[in-house]
Amino acid sequence: MTEEKSLNFLEEIIEADLAAGKYPDGIHTRFPPEPNGYLHIGHASSICLNFGLAKKYQGKCNLRFDDTNPSTEEVEYVESIQRDIEWLGFKWDARYFTSDYFETLYQYAVQLIKAGLAFVDDSTAEEIAATKGGINEPGRNSTFRERSVAENLQLFEEMRAGKYADGEKVLRAKIDMAHPNLLLRDPVIYRIKHAHHHRTGDAWCLYPMYDFAHGQSDSLEQITHSICTLEFIHHRPLYDWFIQQLGIFPSHQYEFARRNLSYTVMSKRKLLQLVNEQHVAGWDDPRMPTISGMRRRGYPPQAIVQFCETIGIGKRENLIDIGLLEFCVREQLNKTAQRAMMVLDPVKLIITNYPEGKTELLEADNNPEDPTAGTRQIPFSRQLWIEREDYMDSPPKKFFRLGPGLMVRLKSAYIIRCEDVVKDASGAIVEIHCSYIPESRSGSDTSDIHVKGTIHWVDAATAGTATVRLYDRLFQVENPAVEEGDFKAYLNPQSLQTVTAFIEPFLATAQIGTTFQALRKGYFSVDKESTAGHLLLNKTVGLKDTWAKK
Ligand code: ATP
Ligand code: MG
């Protein structure tokens, strides 16, 4: 990086901490996903932030699975999360699971009980809620609040041993039922849940609440800067309270604003609904805002990282234009993607003065942006496929494509002149007849004819075919999450369209995951379900932002 970028508020804090000699061993961050879904672009922002800060300040960043909720977590999610982080180009220094700390956390709870700072409460969830009070009204002490330490210890042990049913008892911190911050009014820190956990199996029927697990886990890993999203700002005093009462490593929590993207939703719960109700083909459906969906669609990881760096971090929530992400994708792919020709809506073009049975191989650049990418040979013969929209019977003035008598260049090939069209009974064009100028061959053009337009084409005799999935926005409205009623009512029914296209022969053997630029048509990527005999492509992104104009 050559240009000096101004520091964001977290970098300012970290630089001040380092300058004050607060962390002689360097900073230590963590990325703490709950394995209850696939990661989305909002998580990418948090990943870039946490791993990015560690990298910038030669610190460390852990991956910690926040797996305190046994009923929603699965191994599939753990694996997908790891794959996504690695694919984005980041490496964790250590990997932990909050469940690794279940025994330690239990002992921390015992420590609080012994200090008279926690008690077992037999009240129901409704009773606890009813005594919480309100913003201007203090709560009421539970009738179980003054249980002796000995009784609390015994009950807590029995809770662990499985003596009680779900909801029968909870462990609460004993703080202050009149505290202005409602979260500090004797919060529940352990609940009974007889559920199988994806890692600890049936070893526990007692699980810590988020607030009792997160800060302590940070502390156990000696996390210096624990970065989370703004909704946790009111939890910070509780985070500090536990660390202070337990006398453990003083991790600190900092908050930044969630990142949301236009025309999509960004909560795992909502994304799960889309998957379960089959509005999309899975978590990695290319229309999904998930990292795996973007990978399948052909987004390069560098584009996602660049996008996250461009939007940066802030303290106020806002909606980021999805067009910015697409801009980053285009910018990356323009530099790296192989060029090819593909015709999506074909009509036959016959070059009437080109010898029957002749085929020649024309030379074309693989990527004009990259001189090292080399060239390839494209077969050319008498019958070609061109795009239906590249011909008009009565074209407007600035239509630099084909129409009666008009001339155009076939990319990497010859200049042609439109002589005639053949229509069927319904008036639809079935063939366009053109003549070509033999001296106008690209690279050795001596014709002295200048034409304004160039169109792409595919040789009919050697063309392959591909099934192409064309995507539009997943939702019809900018921010479905804030619209009235069910967010799914705003899904775009036209978000997926499938067509059959003709492709240059070399593309037929393109490997899964390959992304190329189809000249004039956009970027496309070979789908994971593509097979040797049947190429399946996803449209990654168009060449320009045509959507803004609609
Ligand atoms: P969701 O609401 O989508 O389920 P979450 O916050 O519950 O998200 P976690 O798995 O708990 O998901 O998130 C892991 C980390 O990613 C947290 O530190 C969280 O703050 C961060 N994160 C989640 N969503 C976003 C977002 N939209 N923008 C920025 N960071 C996010
Ligand atoms: Mg969460």
Side-chain angles (χ1 to χ4, degrees):
M1 232 190 284
T2 48
E3 106 194 56
E4 200 65 35
K5 255 179 93 182
S6 63
L7 300 180
N8 66 45
F9 75 95
L10 285 168
E11 291 169 332
E12 279 174 6
I13 290 169
I14 289 170
E15 295 201 1
D17 285 346
L18 290 173
K22 221 167 150 184
Y23 301 114
D25 299 331
I27 65 157
H28 203 160
T29 58
R30 88 285 171 266
F31 173 64
E34 184 181 348
N36 62 351
Y38 281 59
L39 297 182
H40 51 61
I41 184 76
H43 293 112
S45 175
S46 176
I47 290 170
C48 290
L49 177 62
N50 281 294
F51 285 93
L53 286 172
K55 195 166 167 191
K56 178 165 182 185
Y57 296 105
Q58 285 104 49
K60 289 183 178 156
C61 182
N62 289 354
L63 167 61
R64 184 193 320 133
F65 289 103
D66 194 2
D67 58 348
T68 53
N69 188 0
S71 48
T72 54
E73 292 154 6
E74 287 175 32
V75 179
E76 177 197 346
Y77 298 139
V78 168
E79 284 166 0
S80 77
I81 288 168
Q82 294 185 165
R83 188 165 60 238
D84 288 350
I85 297 171
E86 286 175 329
W87 179 72
L88 285 174
F90 297 104
K91 265 183 101 145
W92 47 88
D93 286 280
R95 184 195 72 165
Y96 296 108
F97 291 82
T98 302
S99 56
D100 294 338
Y101 309 133
F102 279 170
E103 184 61 41
T104 310
L105 292 169
Y106 179 85
Q107 295 306 332
Y108 282 156
V110 168
Q111 187 183 333
L112 286 188
I113 294 173
K114 286 182 176 162
L117 294 171
F119 65 98
V120 173
D121 197 331
D122 300 1
S123 311
T124 63
E126 295 72 37
E127 284 164 348
I128 291 175
T131 52
K132 262 268 135 110
I135 300 167
N136 299 311
E137 175 208 351
R140 276 175 287 122
N141 284 351
S142 163
T143 48
F144 301 96
R145 199 174 198 263
E146 298 313 322
R147 274 180 163 150
S148 70
V149 168
E151 189 185 2
N152 280 321
L153 284 174
Q154 190 194 334
L155 291 171
F156 192 49
E157 215 177 294
E158 288 171 359
M159 283 164 70
R160 177 180 183 164
K163 191 166 170 189
Y164 306 107
D166 290 7
E168 210 179 321
K169 285 184 170 31
V170 291
L171 185 72
R172 295 175 72 180
K174 197 172 184 178
I175 307 178
D176 178 4
M177 285 307 287
H179 201 287
N181 181 339
L182 269 69
L183 291 170
L184 275 81
R185 294 187 184 172
D186 294 2
V188 173
I189 58 178
Y190 264 95
R191 61 184 168 152
I192 297 169
K193 197 159 190 165
H194 291 268
H196 190 83
H197 186 279
H198 75 110
R199 288 189 78 243
T200 57
D202 297 312
W204 293 88
C205 59
L206 191 65
Y207 292 94
M209 303 298 286
Y210 170 87
D211 284 318
F212 195 70
H214 204 90
Q216 286 92 316
S217 302
D218 284 342
S219 180
L220 285 164
E221 293 171 24
Q222 310 218 338
I223 301 301
T224 56
H225 298 78
S226 172
I227 302 160
C228 61
T229 42
L230 273 180
E231 70 271 22
F232 288 101
I233 198 161
H234 303 297
H235 294 247
R236 197 196 318 149
L238 190 53
Y239 180 104
D240 293 339
W241 192 87
F242 288 127
I243 285 180
Q244 209 172 357
Q245 299 306 327
L246 294 167
I248 53 180
F249 181 85
S251 297
H252 289 282
Q253 175 184 304
Y254 302 89
E255 305 86 14
F256 78 110
R258 239 168 219 281
R259 288 311 192 187
N260 298 308
L261 200 60
S262 63
Y263 296 98
T264 191
V265 290
M266 204 65 83
S267 111
K268 280 181 279 188
R269 195 177 48 81
K270 291 200 172 91
L271 296 174
L272 181 64
Q273 271 184 60
L274 295 180
V275 173
N276 284 346
E277 296 169 25
Q278 294 174 21
H279 296 287
V280 293
W283 283 99
D284 68 348
D285 185 299
R287 290 166 293 179
M288 290 281 270
T290 52
I291 296 176
S292 50
M294 292 177 179
R295 173 170 59 234
R296 185 170 174 187
R297 186 154 173 172
Y299 286 16
Q302 299 86 342
I304 297 175
V305 172
Q306 187 199 340
F307 168 73
C308 292
E309 283 171 0
T310 306
I311 61 175
I313 59 158
K315 288 193 171 183
R316 201 166 304 159
E317 265 199 44
N318 63 352
L319 198 63
I320 313 278
D321 181 4
I322 198 167
L324 179 61
L325 175 58
E326 293 175 343
F327 170 84
C328 295
V329 171
R330 258 181 229 117
E331 211 180 46
Q332 276 295 329
L333 291 177
N334 184 42
K335 287 185 269 182
T336 57
Q338 163 80 48
R339 270 51 169 177
M341 293 202 277
M342 172 161 79
V343 175
L344 290 160
D345 182 16
V347 63
K348 184 68 78 61
L349 183 140
I350 297 183
I351 302 177
T352 49
N353 59 340
Y354 196 88
E356 300 228 24
K358 174 177 172 178
T359 296
E360 62 185 307
L361 292 173
L362 303 170
E363 202 81 358
D365 281 333
N366 283 330
N367 182 354
E369 301 291 317
D370 176 7
T372 65
T375 59
R376 69 185 185 287
Q377 294 190 313
I378 313 175
F380 180 90
S381 64
R382 186 180 156 89
Q383 297 202 15
L384 310 173
W385 295 110
I386 65 161
E387 217 66 65
R388 191 167 284 277
E389 64 179 18
D390 283 338
Y391 173 88
M392 278 180 93
D393 260 340
S394 14
K397 233 181 157 150
K398 288 199 169 157
F399 188 78
F400 301 123
R401 292 179 260 172
L402 287 175
L406 293 186
M407 294 176 96
V408 79
R409 174 173 292 282
L410 294 172
K411 177 71 185 170
S412 302
Y414 297 94
I415 294 173
I416 55 170
R417 180 203 304 275
C418 179
E419 309 288 358
D420 193 15
V421 291
V422 180
K423 296 180 178 176
D424 66 14
S426 73
I429 293 168
V430 288
E431 271 176 19
I432 299 171
H433 291 184
C434 293
S435 58
Y436 86 118
I437 318 285
E439 318 77 81
S440 68
R441 183 167 151 162
S442 286
S444 56
D445 182 357
T446 56
S447 71
D448 214 26
I449 300 171
H450 296 279
V451 292
K452 282 227 166 81
T454 300
I455 62 171
H456 61 280
W457 52 275
V458 171
D459 173 48
T462 53
T465 59
T467 300
V468 186
R469 293 178 176 155
L470 305 170
Y471 300 107
D472 198 351
R473 305 291 194 235
L474 184 53
F475 287 89
Q476 293 169 294
V477 294
E478 251 200 327
N479 194 356
V482 301
E483 295 288 341
E484 216 162 283
D486 186 352
F487 75 99
K488 294 188 291 315
Y490 303 93
L491 279 163
N492 176 6
Q494 258 99 48
S495 62
L496 169 63
Q497 191 199 339
T498 303
V499 299
T500 302
F502 288 113
I503 53 173
E504 265 186 61
F506 88 95
L507 278 177
T509 53
Q511 298 297 304
I512 289 172
T514 306
T515 303
F516 65 93
Q517 184 195 91
L519 294 178
R520 300 175 67 225
K521 285 284 137 189
Y523 294 96
F524 294 81
S525 179
V526 182
D527 189 77
K528 68 171 190 185
E529 284 168 9
S530 197
T531 58
H534 188 179
L535 192 69
L536 180 60
L537 300 174
N538 294 311
K539 181 162 182 182
T540 308
V541 69
L543 291 178
K544 48 181 191 277
D545 192 354
T546 49
W547 211 81
K549 275 185 267 159
K550 273 195 216 169

